Amino acid sequence: MHSMSPLTQLSFLSNRPFVTLPAEISDGKVIGLNAYQRVARQTDRLAGEGLELPILGLFGEVGSLLSALKKRNRDGSSLDRYRSAVVEELGDTLWYFANVASRGGLELVVLAQRMFRDLEDWDEVEYGHEFGSFADIQAIQDGPISETEFNKRATDLAGCVGDLLNDFRRDAFHRNRDKLSAHLVEIFRAIISAADASGISLEDAALENLYKTYSRWPIDFTYPPKFNSTGKSYEEFPEKMEIFISEEDHAEKSYVIMRCNELIIGDRLTDNKQEFDDYRFHDVFHFAFAVHLGWSPVLRALLHLKRKSDSNLDENQDGARAIIIEEGVATFIFARGLELNLFSNVSQVEYDLLKAIKDLISGYEVERCALWQWERAILDGFRVFRSLKEHRKGILSVDLKNHSLTFSPA
């Protein structure tokens, strides 16, 4: 029988992106329950003001959390492989839980106090208390947790959320906030118990959730500083470039050729596929990456800008593996674009695509870029791609300083 490790404070969590958090929950501070609830409420973009969507979201996230916890339990010694998944799912669960409470007019700090109350002292709580934190309501485990106990805690959480959903469907909370409060107290207890079982601190999960949220929807859209520079001007991307891109015929085939300062850069490209899909124009994505991420090992190679004066950067950030990773990302987003009409009339990129990209580029300098930067790179790249697909040739103006990418048909 497997046993679960006792609760430990995560020392590293994920490699966080360049993100600015609200001052009241900034890194290094103990996260207050009500402070977290206020910030989560500010990031609530669910439609309407009712309870239905956050309750359904909570139900879905608990299912995802239980799936991740099950993998931790099943794989025994390979628990670290699922640590980030459990942290993310637990953080998402907390976010939906906090917003159910907010929409129901209930404070997390009050729900936390009621977890330690009985019926006779249920109302002996302090409202508006700003000093309660996640650390105050989660105790460190004395020892390992058995598989049987682990499964029980996971099942209890699922059952509590299921009961909440059932009562909501019966309209049991109409003019009855106490009944909603009672449900949320039980769910809060179950969340803490599941967090203990998974060996994750709630504060870590809450903080990681906010990093993810503000990575996608930031307080302000501030681009991070440039990546590691060698101080050599001849190894830096130029602030502005003009690239002439044209489709030309040769030997009964159509190729795309790029010219910069009258010099051909890169190879002649075809679609490399039996069915034509104009992938031959995909280099625009590399330019979009450079504009919005400040990153493109592919362009560094094409433009002879590899940071060779620093052997570490040259080998590990600008080398063949990094180039393959970037080409893989470009191919991946192009395949998704084919499914979505090349992202025409689309204003945002779904999270599962952005998350998959973050997994692909883990360990490379670009991992510090926020999700909103990737979203802009994808949407901007496809905007130019659609124009190229229509006009077949033109001038691509690249402005890395002002983070803009424009296309003028020729």
Side-chain angles (χ1 to χ4, degrees), residues 188-260:
F188 214 172
R189 287 193 183 112
I191 288 174
I192 294 170
S193 184
D196 288 348
S198 65
I200 303 297
S201 86
L202 287 173
E203 182 157 315
D204 286 336
L207 187 59
E208 283 301 286
N209 172 261
L210 293 177
Y211 265 98
K212 182 179 78 171
T213 300
Y214 283 98
S215 177
R216 183 74 182 278
W217 296 290
I219 297 173
D220 59 85
F221 293 91
T222 301
Y223 285 87
K226 290 182 178 180
F227 291 121
N228 294 325
S229 171
T230 62
K232 311 291 185 183
S233 59
Y234 53 83
E235 294 178 340
E236 298 289 337
F237 284 122
E239 289 187 349
K240 294 185 178 182
M241 293 179 277
E242 283 198 346
I243 312 296
F244 181 71
I245 304 176
S246 64
E247 183 179 57
E248 300 181 11
D249 296 327
H250 180 73
E252 298 182 353
K253 283 189 177 182
S254 293
Y255 298 87
V256 166
I257 295 176
M258 295 193 301
R259 294 184 179 89
C260 181

Side-chain angles (χ1 to χ4, degrees), residues 312-340:
N312 178 55
L313 294 176
D314 180 40
E315 179 179 357
N316 299 315
Q317 298 296 342
D318 300 342
R321 189 171 176 182
I323 290 172
I324 292 171
I325 290 293
E326 185 186 354
E327 290 287 13
V329 171
T331 303
F332 180 52
I333 65 173
F334 184 75
R336 185 64 64 90
L338 291 177
E339 298 172 0
L340 298 172

Side-chain angles (χ1 to χ4, degrees), residues 3-215:
S3 62
M4 303 303 297
S5 299
L7 176 68
T8 54
Q9 187 78 10
L10 301 185
S11 60
F12 60 93
L13 295 172
S14 64
N15 291 311
R16 292 170 177 157
F18 182 85
V19 169
T20 301
L21 297 179
E24 62 181 337
I25 47 89
S26 61
D27 216 354
K29 292 185 178 180
V30 173
I31 302 180
L33 293 171
N34 279 358
Y36 172 78
Q37 184 177 9
R38 284 193 297 272
V39 173
R41 179 62 170 146
Q42 291 167 9
T43 61
D44 179 1
R45 288 172 170 77
L46 300 174
E49 292 294 326
L51 292 173
E52 182 175 17
L53 289 182
I55 287 178
L56 289 175
L58 177 61
F59 186 79
E61 289 302 334
V62 166
S64 298
L65 172 62
L66 296 184
S67 177
L69 293 176
K70 181 180 178 181
K71 290 178 182 178
R72 280 181 60 95
N73 191 33
R74 181 191 64 199
D75 291 354
S77 61
S78 301
L79 299 180
D80 283 346
R81 177 182 177 187
Y82 300 103
R83 180 176 292 273
S84 62
V86 173
V87 169
E88 180 175 359
E89 300 300 347
L90 185 58
D92 290 345
T93 298
L94 280 175
W95 187 90
Y96 278 104
F97 176 78
N99 279 303
V100 171
S102 293
R103 291 190 178 203
L106 300 168
E107 294 182 3
L108 287 190
V109 73
V110 171
L111 298 177
Q113 292 175 73
R114 284 178 172 164
M115 287 192 295
F116 305 99
R117 297 283 190 271
D118 294 320
L119 286 177
E120 55 269 20
D121 59 354
W122 178 260
D123 290 321
E124 294 179 14
V125 294
E126 294 183 43
Y127 292 86
H129 199 307
E130 288 298 319
F131 301 104
S133 69
F134 286 107
D136 294 332
I137 59 174
Q138 187 178 19
I140 296 177
Q141 290 294 135
D142 294 329
I145 300 171
S146 70
E147 182 179 347
T148 300
E149 177 63 19
F150 174 87
N151 291 335
K152 179 182 180 300
R153 295 185 187 195
T155 302
D156 287 346
L157 175 58
C160 288
V161 176
D163 289 342
L164 171 73
L165 181 59
N166 287 335
D167 267 359
F168 172 75
R169 290 302 189 199
R170 289 196 290 265
D171 201 24
F173 306 136
H174 184 62
R175 298 181 180 177
N176 193 343
R177 186 180 296 175
D178 281 343
K179 192 172 185 65
L180 175 62
S181 177
H183 272 292
L184 294 185
V185 166
E186 291 305 311
I187 291 172
F188 214 172
R189 287 193 183 112
I191 288 174
I192 294 170
S193 184
D196 288 348
S198 65
I200 303 297
S201 86
L202 287 173
E203 182 157 315
D204 286 336
L207 187 59
E208 283 301 286
N209 172 261
L210 293 177
Y211 265 98
K212 182 179 78 171
T213 300
Y214 283 98
S215 177

